[in-house]
Protein backbone atom coordinates (compact mmCIF):
# COMPACT_ATOMS: atom_id res chain seq x y z
CA UNK A 1 0.00 0.00 0.00
CA UNK A 2 1.23 3.50 -0.80
CA UNK A 3 2.23 5.63 2.14
CA UNK A 4 -0.54 7.96 3.26
CA UNK A 5 0.00 11.59 2.29
CA UNK A 6 -1.18 14.36 4.52
CA UNK A 7 -3.89 16.09 2.54
CA UNK A 8 -5.65 19.30 3.55
CA UNK A 9 -9.39 18.98 3.10
CA UNK A 10 -11.79 21.78 2.32
CA UNK A 11 -15.32 20.61 3.12
CA UNK A 12 -18.31 22.33 1.49
CA UNK A 13 -21.67 21.80 3.18
CA UNK A 14 -25.08 23.48 3.07
CA UNK A 15 -27.03 21.80 5.86
CA UNK A 16 -26.77 19.61 8.95
CA UNK A 17 -23.28 18.37 8.23
CA UNK A 18 -23.68 14.73 9.28
CA UNK A 19 -21.24 13.57 6.59
CA UNK A 20 -18.86 16.29 7.78
CA UNK A 21 -19.15 14.91 11.31
CA UNK A 22 -18.26 11.42 10.12
CA UNK A 23 -15.12 12.85 8.52
CA UNK A 24 -14.20 14.81 11.65
CA UNK A 25 -14.69 11.69 13.77
CA UNK A 26 -12.55 9.56 11.43
CA UNK A 27 -9.71 12.10 11.62
CA UNK A 28 -9.93 12.18 15.41
CA UNK A 29 -9.86 8.36 15.60
CA UNK A 30 -6.75 8.26 13.43
CA UNK A 31 -8.53 6.37 10.65
CA UNK A 32 -8.26 9.24 8.19
CA UNK A 33 -4.81 10.73 7.67
CA UNK A 34 -5.80 14.24 6.67
CA UNK A 35 -6.29 17.70 8.09
CA UNK A 36 -9.56 19.57 7.67
CA UNK A 37 -8.31 23.02 6.73
CA UNK A 38 -11.67 24.76 6.47
CA UNK A 39 -15.41 24.16 6.29
CA UNK A 40 -17.31 26.46 3.93
CA UNK A 41 -21.05 26.88 3.62
CA UNK A 42 -23.28 28.91 1.34
CA UNK A 43 -25.89 28.91 4.12
CA UNK A 44 -25.30 31.10 7.20
CA UNK A 45 -27.67 28.88 9.22
CA UNK A 46 -26.01 25.57 8.29
CA UNK A 47 -25.37 23.44 11.38
CA UNK A 48 -22.26 22.18 9.59
CA UNK A 49 -20.59 25.46 10.53
CA UNK A 50 -21.29 24.82 14.21
CA UNK A 51 -19.93 21.27 13.93
CA UNK A 52 -16.71 22.69 12.51
CA UNK A 53 -16.40 25.34 15.22
CA UNK A 54 -16.99 22.72 17.91
CA UNK A 55 -14.09 20.73 16.47
CA UNK A 56 -11.78 23.75 16.29
CA UNK A 57 -11.92 23.88 12.50
CA UNK A 58 -12.15 27.23 10.66
CA UNK A 59 -15.78 27.69 9.61
CA UNK A 60 -16.70 30.33 7.04
CA UNK A 61 -19.98 31.26 5.41
CA UNK A 62 -19.67 32.39 1.80
CA UNK A 63 -23.26 33.47 1.28
CA UNK A 64 -24.34 32.98 -2.33
CA UNK A 65 -26.91 35.79 -1.96
CA UNK A 66 -24.11 38.30 -1.53
CA UNK A 67 -22.61 37.64 -4.96
CA UNK A 68 -23.79 38.74 -8.39
CA UNK A 69 -23.64 35.43 -10.21
CA UNK A 70 -22.25 31.94 -9.76
CA UNK A 71 -18.70 32.61 -10.88
CA UNK A 72 -18.03 35.50 -8.45
CA UNK A 73 -19.42 33.26 -5.69
CA UNK A 74 -17.11 30.42 -6.71
CA UNK A 75 -14.13 32.76 -6.95
CA UNK A 76 -14.81 33.62 -3.30
CA UNK A 77 -14.90 29.91 -2.42
CA UNK A 78 -11.61 29.33 -4.23
CA UNK A 79 -10.02 32.26 -2.41
CA UNK A 80 -10.93 30.78 0.98
CA UNK A 81 -9.80 27.29 -0.02
CA UNK A 82 -6.48 28.54 -1.38
CA UNK A 83 -5.87 30.60 1.74
CA UNK A 84 -6.07 27.43 3.84
CA UNK A 85 -3.86 25.39 1.51
CA UNK A 86 -6.63 22.96 0.57
CA UNK A 87 -5.51 20.06 -1.64
CA UNK A 88 -8.79 18.10 -1.80
CA UNK A 89 -12.30 19.54 -1.96
CA UNK A 90 -14.94 17.37 -0.28
CA UNK A 91 -18.61 18.08 -1.02
CA UNK A 92 -20.74 16.97 1.92
CA UNK A 93 -24.33 17.96 1.27
CA UNK A 94 -23.35 21.07 -0.70
CA UNK A 95 -26.53 22.08 -2.50
CA UNK A 96 -25.00 24.10 -5.32
CA UNK A 97 -24.05 22.90 -8.78
CA UNK A 98 -20.46 23.94 -9.43
CA UNK A 99 -19.57 25.65 -12.70
CA UNK A 100 -16.70 24.59 -14.99
CA UNK A 101 -14.69 27.46 -13.47
CA UNK A 102 -14.51 25.71 -10.11
CA UNK A 103 -14.33 22.16 -11.42
CA UNK A 104 -11.40 22.93 -13.74
CA UNK A 105 -9.54 24.72 -10.96
CA UNK A 106 -9.65 21.56 -8.83
CA UNK A 107 -9.73 18.99 -11.64
CA UNK A 108 -9.40 15.48 -10.20
CA UNK A 109 -9.44 16.90 -6.67
CA UNK A 110 -13.17 17.16 -5.88
CA UNK A 111 -15.16 14.34 -4.27
CA UNK A 112 -18.93 14.22 -3.88
CA UNK A 113 -21.35 11.86 -2.17
CA UNK A 114 -24.81 11.28 -3.62
CA UNK A 115 -27.68 9.48 -1.82
CA UNK A 116 -28.57 7.06 -4.62
CA UNK A 117 -26.88 4.51 -6.84
CA UNK A 118 -25.69 6.62 -9.75
CA UNK A 119 -26.18 6.92 -12.65
CA UNK A 120 -29.78 6.38 -11.51
CA UNK A 121 -31.59 9.21 -9.70
CA UNK A 122 -29.18 12.16 -9.95
CA UNK A 123 -30.18 15.57 -8.65
CA UNK A 124 -31.42 17.06 -5.41
CA UNK A 125 -34.41 14.78 -4.66
CA UNK A 126 -32.93 11.31 -4.87
CA UNK A 127 -34.96 9.64 -2.12
CA UNK A 128 -38.22 11.05 -3.44
CA UNK A 129 -37.38 9.86 -6.94
CA UNK A 130 -36.31 6.41 -5.74
CA UNK A 131 -39.59 5.87 -3.90
CA UNK A 132 -41.68 7.20 -6.77
CA UNK A 133 -40.00 4.87 -9.26
CA UNK A 134 -40.46 1.78 -7.11
CA UNK A 135 -36.94 0.34 -7.19
CA UNK A 136 -36.06 -2.28 -4.57
CA UNK A 137 -32.47 -1.20 -3.91
CA UNK A 138 -30.95 2.23 -3.32
CA UNK A 139 -27.83 3.43 -1.57
CA UNK A 140 -25.07 5.99 -1.93
CA UNK A 141 -22.37 6.79 -4.45
CA UNK A 142 -19.03 8.55 -4.02
CA UNK A 143 -17.59 9.98 -7.21
CA UNK A 144 -15.13 12.46 -8.60
CA UNK A 145 -16.82 15.66 -9.74
CA UNK A 146 -16.80 16.60 -13.38
CA UNK A 147 -18.59 19.38 -15.25
CA UNK A 148 -21.92 17.53 -15.33
CA UNK A 149 -24.47 16.95 -12.56
CA UNK A 150 -23.66 13.82 -10.51
CA UNK A 151 -21.94 12.44 -13.61
CA UNK A 152 -18.28 12.05 -12.62
CA UNK A 153 -16.35 8.76 -12.44
CA UNK A 154 -17.69 6.52 -9.67
CA UNK A 155 -15.29 5.48 -6.92
CA UNK A 156 -17.46 3.41 -4.56
CA UNK A 157 -21.08 2.56 -3.82
CA UNK A 158 -23.01 1.01 -0.95
CA UNK A 159 -26.47 -0.51 -1.32
CA UNK A 160 -29.47 -0.57 1.01
CA UNK A 161 -32.86 -2.22 0.49
CA UNK A 162 -35.91 -0.09 -0.20
CA UNK A 163 -38.72 -1.30 2.06
CA UNK A 164 -42.41 -1.29 1.18
CA UNK A 165 -43.26 1.13 4.00
CA UNK A 166 -40.28 3.46 3.51
CA UNK A 167 -40.63 7.20 3.57
CA UNK A 168 -38.00 9.67 2.41
CA UNK A 169 -36.92 10.02 6.03
CA UNK A 170 -36.62 6.32 6.84
CA UNK A 171 -34.83 5.50 3.60
CA UNK A 172 -32.61 8.53 4.01
CA UNK A 173 -31.60 7.48 7.52
CA UNK A 174 -30.44 4.05 6.34
CA UNK A 175 -28.55 5.53 3.42
CA UNK A 176 -26.86 8.00 5.76
CA UNK A 177 -25.53 5.15 7.88
CA UNK A 178 -23.70 3.85 4.82
CA UNK A 179 -22.52 7.32 3.80
CA UNK A 180 -20.90 7.82 7.19
CA UNK A 181 -18.92 4.59 6.83
CA UNK A 182 -17.97 4.89 3.17
CA UNK A 183 -17.02 8.55 2.74
CA UNK A 184 -14.14 8.67 5.24
CA UNK A 185 -12.82 5.40 3.79
CA UNK A 186 -12.80 6.75 0.24
CA UNK A 187 -11.11 9.97 1.36
CA UNK A 188 -8.43 7.86 3.04
CA UNK A 189 -7.93 5.94 -0.23
CA UNK A 190 -7.39 9.28 -1.95
CA UNK A 191 -4.90 10.33 0.74
CA UNK A 192 -3.03 7.06 0.26
CA UNK A 193 -2.73 7.73 -3.47
CA UNK A 194 -4.76 4.63 -4.30
CA UNK A 195 -7.33 6.21 -6.65
CA UNK A 196 -6.59 6.45 -10.37
CA UNK A 197 -9.04 7.86 -12.92
CA UNK A 198 -8.96 5.97 -16.21
CA UNK A 199 -11.64 7.45 -18.45
CA UNK A 200 -14.99 6.69 -16.82
CA UNK A 201 -13.42 4.17 -14.48
CA UNK A 202 -11.64 4.62 -11.16
CA UNK A 203 -9.03 2.01 -10.33
CA UNK A 204 -8.40 1.44 -6.63
CA UNK A 205 -4.97 0.03 -5.75
CA UNK A 206 -5.09 -2.82 -3.26
Amino acid sequence: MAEAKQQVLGVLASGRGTDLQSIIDAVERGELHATIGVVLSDNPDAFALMRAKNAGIPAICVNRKEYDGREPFEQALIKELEAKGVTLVVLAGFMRILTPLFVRHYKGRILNIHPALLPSFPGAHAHRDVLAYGVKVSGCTIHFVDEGTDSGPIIAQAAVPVLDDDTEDTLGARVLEQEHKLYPQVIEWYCEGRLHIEGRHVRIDK
Side-chain angles (χ1 to χ4, degrees):
M1 182 185 298
E3 183 180 354
K5 299 178 181 179
Q6 191 73 16
Q7 299 282 345
V8 180
L9 311 181
V11 182
L12 276 58
S14 297
R16 296 178 298 164
T18 63
D19 282 319
L20 166 64
Q21 190 65 55
S22 73
I23 296 166
I24 292 171
D25 293 345
V27 171
E28 292 180 347
R29 290 193 301 265
E31 297 172 1
L32 174 52
H33 299 85
T35 300
I36 304 175
V38 66
V39 172
L40 301 179
S41 182
D42 59 318
N43 174 14
D45 298 320
F47 191 66
L49 294 172
M50 184 58 67
R51 291 181 189 273
K53 291 175 183 176
N54 289 342
I57 299 166
I60 300 170
C61 176
V62 181
N63 193 334
R64 170 66 178 84
K65 296 178 181 178
E66 297 177 0
Y67 295 88
D68 184 18
R70 293 166 67 190
E71 291 197 356
F73 165 68
E74 290 181 0
Q75 290 283 15
L77 292 176
I78 291 170
K79 180 179 179 180
E80 298 292 352
L81 294 167
E82 295 291 296
K84 295 296 190 294
V86 166
T87 57
L88 176 65
V89 178
V90 177
L91 307 183
F94 187 65
M95 303 306 291
R96 297 281 176 183
I97 296 175
L98 296 168
T99 72
L101 169 80
F102 190 99
V103 174
R104 291 169 187 169
H105 188 88
Y106 289 101
K107 182 176 175 59
R109 296 188 292 141
I110 312 173
L111 300 181
N112 183 46
I113 190 160
H114 181 73
L117 296 177
L118 294 173
S120 298
F121 309 110
H125 303 286
H127 299 315
R128 181 196 69 187
D129 296 342
V130 162
L131 294 174
Y133 202 88
V135 299
K136 301 302 183 183
V137 179
S138 189
C140 61
T141 302
I142 300 170
H143 62 95
F144 283 104
V145 173
D146 63 9
E147 295 179 22
T149 300
D150 297 326
S151 60
I154 291 171
I155 304 167
Q157 295 178 303
V160 302
V162 179
L163 306 179
D164 290 341
D165 59 351
D166 261 333
T167 65
E168 290 184 47
D169 288 341
T170 59
L171 176 60
R174 290 202 310 285
V175 172
L176 267 180
E177 290 179 7
Q178 297 304 314
E179 291 184 24
H180 297 163
K181 296 174 184 176
L182 193 59
Y183 214 1
Q185 180 63 75
V186 169
I187 297 168
E188 175 66 3
W189 290 343
Y190 181 96
C191 294
E192 293 172 345
R194 293 173 58 186
L195 303 181
H196 307 279
I197 303 174
E198 299 174 352
R200 281 230 40 95
H201 298 273
V202 178
R203 177 169 57 83
I204 305 170
D205 288 346
K206 297 189 184 301

